[in-house]
Amino acid sequence: KAAVAEPISLNLPFQFDSILTFRLADRSLRMSKGNLDLAGIKLHLIGASQLKTDTHLWDVNIDIADLSKLPIDRAVIPITIQRGGLKAAVHAQRKAGSPWAVEGSLGLSKFAGNFQMNSNGLVINGTGAAAADVEFQYADTFRIKRIVASGNATDLNIKYKELFQKPALTALNFDTQAAFAGDVLQIDRFHAQLAQLEAEIHGTVF
């Protein structure tokens, strides 16, 4: 007897509002307003494309004010998000005969989650926290321009087979700020701590 999969039922609030114009004469597409709100994920999209000249200019912003309200399947992602927000902004443009040029930013604020993971010898349980701001660009290759990040895993119990074990309440945290200028990495600050071990790094990497 063949097994019958149980149907998945999701009740997700959804709102969409847009103004989209297409002109056949010059094959142009313009979105002067594009707003999507899906289960607390807000997306704002505006831009224009000239298909005849292969010229494009688009901006997209994503705002998730409360990550804890996202419908996350613990079987897929073993984290219960307790708090935190996420924002992203992307500016993309392309001129005729040129590749796409993309600039953007990604911000994770006041994130905290409860981890319950046991897979392939890796065991993680407890609460961890993090925050990050990243600026990036793409022009033929992807590049990080600037990063400010911190994380605190002191309350986590972490074990990997018999190779590594960090009990809960043993200090494990980091804090960093760095930026790229061309191929040069400027580390303004990097501090990390594991139990009684601490590392401090700053300088320039060519």
Side-chain angles (χ1 to χ4, degrees), residues 62-74:
I62 299 174
D63 185 1
I64 307 175
D66 189 351
L67 291 169
S68 69
K69 294 182 179 180
L70 294 181
I72 295 175
D73 187 348
R74 285 286 301 275

Side-chain angles (χ1 to χ4, degrees), residues 78-154:
I79 304 172
T80 299
I81 299 177
Q82 298 171 334
R83 68 172 188 270
L86 182 69
K87 290 187 177 183
V90 176
H91 173 80
Q93 64 178 352
R94 180 181 180 181
K95 297 181 179 180
S98 301
W100 280 95
V102 179
E103 290 186 335
S105 62
L106 180 67
L108 176 67
S109 60
K110 298 180 181 180
F111 172 85
N114 184 271
F115 295 76
Q116 297 294 330
M117 179 186 299
N118 189 342
S119 176
N120 298 319
L122 176 63
V123 178
I124 303 176
N125 50 66
T127 301
D133 283 297
V134 180
E135 296 178 5
F136 60 87
Q137 66 180 22
Y138 174 83
D140 293 330
T141 58
F142 181 81
R143 183 187 299 272
I144 298 293
K145 294 174 58 180
R146 177 179 172 271
I147 182 169
V148 178
S150 62
N152 192 328
T154 297

Side-chain angles (χ1 to χ4, degrees), residues 41 52 99 137:
I41 302 173
K52 190 174 182 179
Q137 66 180 22

Side-chain angles (χ1 to χ4, degrees), residues 3 5 22 33 42 126 171 196:
F22 179 72
K33 180 171 69 171
K42 295 183 178 181
Q196 302 301 314

